[in-house]
Amino acid sequence: SVPFATLALIDRLSSCNLTTGVQFVLRCRNFDGAFGCVPGSESHAGQVFCCVGALSIANKLQLLDVDQLAWWLCERQLPSGGLNGRPEKLPDVCYSWWVLASLKNYW
């Protein structure tokens, strides 16, 4: 998402191959609907934020499985009220940003 964001900021998004970039982002999507850093890597809230942002910049949010991704993001909230970045991890305040901003980016 950083290349997409950078190019969008300087009005040069047309200079990259968005189709190839979107295809890579979609290959990073996992069975749980969330995204890892590379294809096959563990889903992580920070990477979800980056991938949803990249798809938003590319005007490809319709390619998301919204229900599955929203469920995964909602499951990041723990009984303590805090949020974690991936299953079975402790809560950390930084994940409030990644999870809630990901939800806001789409919804």
Side-chain angles (χ1 to χ4, degrees):
S1 81
V2 172
F4 284 7
T6 302
L7 291 169
L9 285 171
I10 62 172
D11 199 26
R12 297 288 309 267
L13 196 55
S14 62
S15 68
C16 76
N17 187 331
L18 280 178
T19 301
T20 300
V22 166
Q23 288 172 348
F24 177 78
V25 168
L26 294 175
R27 284 196 317 271
C28 294
R29 183 170 40 195
N30 290 313
F31 70 94
D32 56 15
F35 294 86
C37 292
V38 295
S41 66
E42 181 180 20
S43 295
H44 190 278
Q47 193 59 27
V48 167
F49 173 82
C50 293
C51 290
V52 170
L55 293 173
S56 178
I57 291 167
N59 293 313
K60 296 294 183 180
L61 285 175
Q62 74 275 11
L63 299 176
L64 291 171
D65 182 335
V66 177
D67 292 335
Q68 189 179 29
L69 180 57
W71 180 255
W72 188 89
L73 288 166
C74 290
E75 283 191 334
R76 303 289 49 86
Q77 187 165 24
L78 301 174
S80 66
L83 298 165
N84 65 12
R86 50 200 168 118
E88 305 300 323
K89 296 297 180 180
L90 295 173
D92 188 308
V93 71
C94 72
Y95 296 118
S96 297
W97 167 258
W98 301 120
V99 171
L100 298 175
S102 295
L103 289 166
K104 177 65 176 161
N105 200 348
Y106 186 84
W107 295 271

